[in-house]
mmCIF file of all heavy atoms in Angstrom:
data_model
loop_
_atom_site.group_PDB
_atom_site.id
_atom_site.type_symbol
_atom_site.label_atom_id
_atom_site.label_comp_id
_atom_site.label_asym_id
_atom_site.label_seq_id
_atom_site.Cartn_x
_atom_site.Cartn_y
_atom_site.Cartn_z
ATOM 1 N N PRO A 1496 44.765 11.696 6.107
ATOM 2 C CA PRO A 1496 44.840 11.860 4.658
ATOM 3 C C PRO A 1496 43.526 12.375 4.127
ATOM 4 O O PRO A 1496 42.469 11.867 4.469
ATOM 5 C CB PRO A 1496 45.121 10.446 4.134
ATOM 6 C CG PRO A 1496 44.619 9.528 5.240
ATOM 7 C CD PRO A 1496 44.821 10.272 6.521
ATOM 8 N N SER A 1497 43.593 13.455 3.386
ATOM 9 C CA SER A 1497 42.361 14.075 2.847
ATOM 10 C C SER A 1497 41.966 13.463 1.546
ATOM 11 O O SER A 1497 42.693 12.654 0.952
ATOM 12 C CB SER A 1497 42.578 15.588 2.697
ATOM 13 O OG SER A 1497 43.613 15.830 1.784
ATOM 14 N N GLY A 1498 40.812 13.839 1.094
ATOM 15 C CA GLY A 1498 40.338 13.354 -0.186
ATOM 16 C C GLY A 1498 38.834 13.232 -0.211
ATOM 17 O O GLY A 1498 38.203 13.012 0.836
ATOM 18 N N PRO A 1499 38.223 13.382 -1.395
ATOM 19 C CA PRO A 1499 36.772 13.302 -1.529
ATOM 20 C C PRO A 1499 36.174 11.977 -1.034
ATOM 21 O O PRO A 1499 35.104 11.953 -0.440
ATOM 22 C CB PRO A 1499 36.492 13.526 -3.005
ATOM 23 C CG PRO A 1499 37.753 14.211 -3.521
ATOM 24 C CD PRO A 1499 38.846 13.734 -2.681
ATOM 25 N N ALA A 1500 36.918 10.876 -1.273
ATOM 26 C CA ALA A 1500 36.382 9.570 -0.898
ATOM 27 C C ALA A 1500 36.228 9.464 0.627
ATOM 28 O O ALA A 1500 35.225 8.955 1.143
ATOM 29 C CB ALA A 1500 37.303 8.465 -1.401
ATOM 30 N N LEU A 1501 37.234 9.970 1.369
ATOM 31 C CA LEU A 1501 37.147 9.922 2.795
ATOM 32 C C LEU A 1501 36.057 10.831 3.328
ATOM 33 O O LEU A 1501 35.287 10.452 4.253
ATOM 34 C CB LEU A 1501 38.505 10.332 3.411
ATOM 35 C CG LEU A 1501 38.578 10.276 4.953
ATOM 36 C CD1 LEU A 1501 38.272 8.851 5.452
ATOM 37 C CD2 LEU A 1501 39.948 10.723 5.421
ATOM 38 N N ARG A 1502 35.915 11.996 2.715
ATOM 39 C CA ARG A 1502 34.839 12.914 3.133
ATOM 40 C C ARG A 1502 33.477 12.262 2.923
ATOM 41 O O ARG A 1502 32.580 12.326 3.763
ATOM 42 C CB ARG A 1502 34.943 14.224 2.359
ATOM 43 C CG ARG A 1502 33.887 15.262 2.784
ATOM 44 C CD ARG A 1502 33.997 16.515 1.927
ATOM 45 N NE ARG A 1502 33.204 17.614 2.441
ATOM 46 C CZ ARG A 1502 31.917 17.745 2.249
ATOM 47 N NH1 ARG A 1502 31.244 16.836 1.525
ATOM 48 N NH2 ARG A 1502 31.265 18.788 2.761
ATOM 49 N N ASP A 1503 33.308 11.613 1.758
ATOM 50 C CA ASP A 1503 32.008 10.976 1.434
ATOM 51 C C ASP A 1503 31.731 9.843 2.427
ATOM 52 O O ASP A 1503 30.574 9.540 2.736
ATOM 53 C CB ASP A 1503 32.048 10.447 0.022
ATOM 54 C CG ASP A 1503 32.031 11.562 -1.004
ATOM 55 O OD1 ASP A 1503 31.703 12.715 -0.628
ATOM 56 O OD2 ASP A 1503 32.343 11.275 -2.177
ATOM 57 N N ALA A 1504 32.794 9.194 2.890
ATOM 58 C CA ALA A 1504 32.596 8.100 3.821
ATOM 59 C C ALA A 1504 32.245 8.589 5.228
ATOM 60 O O ALA A 1504 31.447 7.970 5.933
ATOM 61 C CB ALA A 1504 33.860 7.218 3.878
ATOM 62 N N LEU A 1505 32.859 9.696 5.631
ATOM 63 C CA LEU A 1505 32.641 10.198 6.994
ATOM 64 C C LEU A 1505 31.406 11.041 7.149
ATOM 65 O O LEU A 1505 30.830 11.102 8.248
ATOM 66 C CB LEU A 1505 33.877 11.014 7.447
ATOM 67 C CG LEU A 1505 35.179 10.218 7.656
ATOM 68 C CD1 LEU A 1505 36.309 11.202 8.022
ATOM 69 C CD2 LEU A 1505 34.995 9.186 8.755
ATOM 70 N N LEU A 1506 30.956 11.694 6.079
ATOM 71 C CA LEU A 1506 29.821 12.588 6.212
ATOM 72 C C LEU A 1506 28.559 11.878 6.695
ATOM 73 O O LEU A 1506 27.869 12.384 7.589
ATOM 74 C CB LEU A 1506 29.555 13.277 4.880
ATOM 75 C CG LEU A 1506 28.489 14.396 4.918
ATOM 76 C CD1 LEU A 1506 28.855 15.452 5.942
ATOM 77 C CD2 LEU A 1506 28.386 15.032 3.524
ATOM 78 N N PRO A 1507 28.180 10.689 6.173
ATOM 79 C CA PRO A 1507 26.972 9.999 6.704
ATOM 80 C C PRO A 1507 27.123 9.632 8.168
ATOM 81 O O PRO A 1507 26.131 9.685 8.912
ATOM 82 C CB PRO A 1507 26.860 8.773 5.815
ATOM 83 C CG PRO A 1507 27.621 9.080 4.566
ATOM 84 C CD PRO A 1507 28.724 9.940 5.003
ATOM 85 N N VAL A 1508 28.344 9.277 8.593
ATOM 86 C CA VAL A 1508 28.568 8.961 9.992
ATOM 87 C C VAL A 1508 28.324 10.173 10.849
ATOM 88 O O VAL A 1508 27.672 10.124 11.924
ATOM 89 C CB VAL A 1508 29.966 8.377 10.197
ATOM 90 C CG1 VAL A 1508 30.231 8.078 11.671
ATOM 91 C CG2 VAL A 1508 30.142 7.125 9.357
ATOM 92 N N ALA A 1509 28.898 11.308 10.446
ATOM 93 C CA ALA A 1509 28.736 12.540 11.222
ATOM 94 C C ALA A 1509 27.266 12.973 11.233
ATOM 95 O O ALA A 1509 26.749 13.448 12.280
ATOM 96 C CB ALA A 1509 29.613 13.666 10.612
ATOM 97 N N ARG A 1510 26.611 12.839 10.103
ATOM 98 C CA ARG A 1510 25.192 13.211 10.051
ATOM 99 C C ARG A 1510 24.369 12.338 10.998
ATOM 100 O O ARG A 1510 23.505 12.823 11.726
ATOM 101 C CB ARG A 1510 24.693 13.032 8.610
ATOM 102 C CG ARG A 1510 23.220 13.308 8.394
ATOM 103 C CD ARG A 1510 22.819 12.873 6.983
ATOM 104 N NE ARG A 1510 21.386 13.099 6.749
ATOM 105 C CZ ARG A 1510 20.899 14.140 6.157
ATOM 106 N NH1 ARG A 1510 21.668 15.096 5.693
ATOM 107 N NH2 ARG A 1510 19.583 14.236 5.976
ATOM 108 N N ALA A 1511 24.632 11.025 10.972
ATOM 109 C CA ALA A 1511 23.874 10.101 11.842
ATOM 110 C C ALA A 1511 24.126 10.416 13.317
ATOM 111 O O ALA A 1511 23.204 10.390 14.129
ATOM 112 C CB ALA A 1511 24.252 8.664 11.561
ATOM 113 N N ALA A 1512 25.367 10.761 13.661
ATOM 114 C CA ALA A 1512 25.683 11.088 15.021
ATOM 115 C C ALA A 1512 24.971 12.366 15.458
ATOM 116 O O ALA A 1512 24.464 12.476 16.589
ATOM 117 C CB ALA A 1512 27.202 11.260 15.215
ATOM 118 N N ALA A 1513 24.905 13.351 14.543
ATOM 119 C CA ALA A 1513 24.193 14.595 14.880
ATOM 120 C C ALA A 1513 22.715 14.352 15.067
ATOM 121 O O ALA A 1513 22.092 14.935 15.965
ATOM 122 C CB ALA A 1513 24.447 15.599 13.772
ATOM 123 N N LEU A 1514 22.110 13.515 14.229
ATOM 124 C CA LEU A 1514 20.694 13.189 14.358
ATOM 125 C C LEU A 1514 20.422 12.478 15.678
ATOM 126 O O LEU A 1514 19.459 12.830 16.381
ATOM 127 C CB LEU A 1514 20.249 12.292 13.193
ATOM 128 C CG LEU A 1514 20.081 12.964 11.849
ATOM 129 C CD1 LEU A 1514 20.034 11.928 10.736
ATOM 130 C CD2 LEU A 1514 18.808 13.807 11.837
ATOM 131 N N ALA A 1515 21.261 11.525 16.037
ATOM 132 C CA ALA A 1515 21.036 10.770 17.308
ATOM 133 C C ALA A 1515 21.228 11.694 18.496
ATOM 134 O O ALA A 1515 20.446 11.612 19.484
ATOM 135 C CB ALA A 1515 22.039 9.612 17.390
ATOM 136 N N ALA A 1516 22.208 12.622 18.440
ATOM 137 C CA ALA A 1516 22.374 13.556 19.544
ATOM 138 C C ALA A 1516 21.217 14.476 19.703
ATOM 139 O O ALA A 1516 20.757 14.788 20.814
ATOM 140 C CB ALA A 1516 23.683 14.336 19.350
ATOM 141 N N ALA A 1517 20.684 14.950 18.567
ATOM 142 C CA ALA A 1517 19.544 15.858 18.606
ATOM 143 C C ALA A 1517 18.320 15.144 19.199
ATOM 144 O O ALA A 1517 17.564 15.720 19.956
ATOM 145 C CB ALA A 1517 19.262 16.387 17.207
ATOM 146 N N ALA A 1518 18.124 13.882 18.774
ATOM 147 C CA ALA A 1518 16.984 13.086 19.316
ATOM 148 C C ALA A 1518 17.118 12.930 20.823
ATOM 149 O O ALA A 1518 16.172 13.101 21.568
ATOM 150 C CB ALA A 1518 16.911 11.743 18.616
ATOM 151 N N ALA A 1519 18.336 12.653 21.270
ATOM 152 C CA ALA A 1519 18.549 12.426 22.704
ATOM 153 C C ALA A 1519 18.245 13.646 23.535
ATOM 154 O O ALA A 1519 17.756 13.533 24.681
ATOM 155 C CB ALA A 1519 19.993 11.961 22.961
ATOM 156 N N THR A 1520 18.516 14.845 23.025
ATOM 157 C CA THR A 1520 18.213 16.038 23.768
ATOM 158 C C THR A 1520 16.740 16.248 24.009
ATOM 159 O O THR A 1520 16.315 16.967 24.924
ATOM 160 C CB THR A 1520 18.787 17.299 23.059
ATOM 161 O OG1 THR A 1520 18.133 17.441 21.795
ATOM 162 C CG2 THR A 1520 20.284 17.191 22.909
ATOM 163 N N HIS A 1521 15.916 15.595 23.192
ATOM 164 C CA HIS A 1521 14.457 15.641 23.335
ATOM 165 C C HIS A 1521 13.906 14.376 23.996
ATOM 166 O O HIS A 1521 12.695 14.127 23.926
ATOM 167 C CB HIS A 1521 13.791 15.875 21.994
ATOM 168 C CG HIS A 1521 14.113 17.168 21.353
ATOM 169 N ND1 HIS A 1521 13.438 18.351 21.643
ATOM 170 C CD2 HIS A 1521 15.054 17.519 20.449
ATOM 171 C CE1 HIS A 1521 13.921 19.355 20.945
ATOM 172 N NE2 HIS A 1521 14.917 18.866 20.189
ATOM 173 N N ASP A 1522 14.778 13.542 24.647
ATOM 174 C CA ASP A 1522 14.358 12.299 25.201
ATOM 175 C C ASP A 1522 13.642 11.413 24.206
ATOM 176 O O ASP A 1522 12.644 10.759 24.495
ATOM 177 C CB ASP A 1522 13.488 12.499 26.461
ATOM 178 C CG ASP A 1522 13.369 11.243 27.308
ATOM 179 O OD1 ASP A 1522 14.215 10.340 27.143
ATOM 180 O OD2 ASP A 1522 12.427 11.159 28.146
ATOM 181 N N ALA A 1523 14.186 11.417 22.960
ATOM 182 C CA ALA A 1523 13.561 10.657 21.881
ATOM 183 C C ALA A 1523 14.539 9.628 21.350
ATOM 184 O O ALA A 1523 15.750 9.778 21.430
ATOM 185 C CB ALA A 1523 13.130 11.605 20.755
ATOM 186 N N LEU A 1524 13.989 8.545 20.813
ATOM 187 C CA LEU A 1524 14.778 7.514 20.145
ATOM 188 C C LEU A 1524 14.715 7.754 18.655
ATOM 189 O O LEU A 1524 13.642 7.875 18.060
ATOM 190 C CB LEU A 1524 14.184 6.131 20.460
ATOM 191 C CG LEU A 1524 14.898 4.962 19.750
ATOM 192 C CD1 LEU A 1524 16.279 4.724 20.369
ATOM 193 C CD2 LEU A 1524 14.051 3.685 19.861
ATOM 194 N N LEU A 1525 15.880 7.829 18.039
ATOM 195 C CA LEU A 1525 15.947 8.038 16.596
ATOM 196 C C LEU A 1525 15.615 6.739 15.853
ATOM 197 O O LEU A 1525 16.258 5.713 16.065
ATOM 198 C CB LEU A 1525 17.349 8.521 16.188
ATOM 199 C CG LEU A 1525 17.536 8.822 14.686
ATOM 200 C CD1 LEU A 1525 16.639 10.005 14.261
ATOM 201 C CD2 LEU A 1525 18.980 9.086 14.376
ATOM 202 N N VAL A 1526 14.633 6.799 15.008
ATOM 203 C CA VAL A 1526 14.199 5.653 14.199
ATOM 204 C C VAL A 1526 14.343 5.994 12.720
ATOM 205 O O VAL A 1526 13.910 7.073 12.294
ATOM 206 C CB VAL A 1526 12.762 5.244 14.526
ATOM 207 C CG1 VAL A 1526 12.255 4.176 13.523
ATOM 208 C CG2 VAL A 1526 12.649 4.714 15.962
ATOM 209 N N GLY A 1527 14.973 5.119 11.987
ATOM 210 C CA GLY A 1527 15.180 5.361 10.571
ATOM 211 C C GLY A 1527 13.938 4.998 9.772
ATOM 212 O O GLY A 1527 13.360 3.973 9.906
ATOM 213 N N GLY A 1528 13.570 5.917 8.841
ATOM 214 C CA GLY A 1528 12.448 5.657 7.972
ATOM 215 C C GLY A 1528 12.853 5.276 6.566
ATOM 216 O O GLY A 1528 12.024 5.218 5.669
ATOM 217 N N ASP A 1529 14.144 4.998 6.381
ATOM 218 C CA ASP A 1529 14.669 4.699 5.068
ATOM 219 C C ASP A 1529 14.932 3.197 4.975
ATOM 220 O O ASP A 1529 15.445 2.588 5.908
ATOM 221 C CB ASP A 1529 15.988 5.469 4.863
ATOM 222 C CG ASP A 1529 16.563 5.329 3.464
ATOM 223 O OD1 ASP A 1529 16.079 4.497 2.703
ATOM 224 O OD2 ASP A 1529 17.496 6.096 3.172
ATOM 225 N N CYS A 1530 14.552 2.545 3.866
ATOM 226 C CA CYS A 1530 14.796 1.104 3.716
ATOM 227 C C CYS A 1530 16.279 0.775 3.846
ATOM 228 O O CYS A 1530 16.631 -0.327 4.208
ATOM 229 C CB CYS A 1530 14.309 0.637 2.316
ATOM 230 S SG CYS A 1530 12.516 0.640 2.168
ATOM 231 N N ALA A 1531 17.173 1.749 3.552
ATOM 232 C CA ALA A 1531 18.597 1.499 3.629
ATOM 233 C C ALA A 1531 19.220 2.070 4.879
ATOM 234 O O ALA A 1531 20.442 2.164 4.976
ATOM 235 C CB ALA A 1531 19.279 2.125 2.382
ATOM 236 N N HIS A 1532 18.397 2.467 5.853
ATOM 237 C CA HIS A 1532 18.917 3.058 7.108
ATOM 238 C C HIS A 1532 19.860 2.074 7.774
ATOM 239 O O HIS A 1532 19.525 0.909 7.987
ATOM 240 C CB HIS A 1532 17.762 3.384 8.031
ATOM 241 C CG HIS A 1532 18.183 4.012 9.337
ATOM 242 N ND1 HIS A 1532 18.644 5.304 9.429
ATOM 243 C CD2 HIS A 1532 18.237 3.466 10.591
ATOM 244 C CE1 HIS A 1532 18.906 5.561 10.703
ATOM 245 N NE2 HIS A 1532 18.682 4.457 11.428
#
């Protein structure tokens, strides 16, 4: 089911997964610098 609410919910998850994958390719651990990470 589509809709803006679902997109808004999934986008942070997809972003976090992309960040973690990019870090792993550099043999790095992704650490959050945000109080709400």
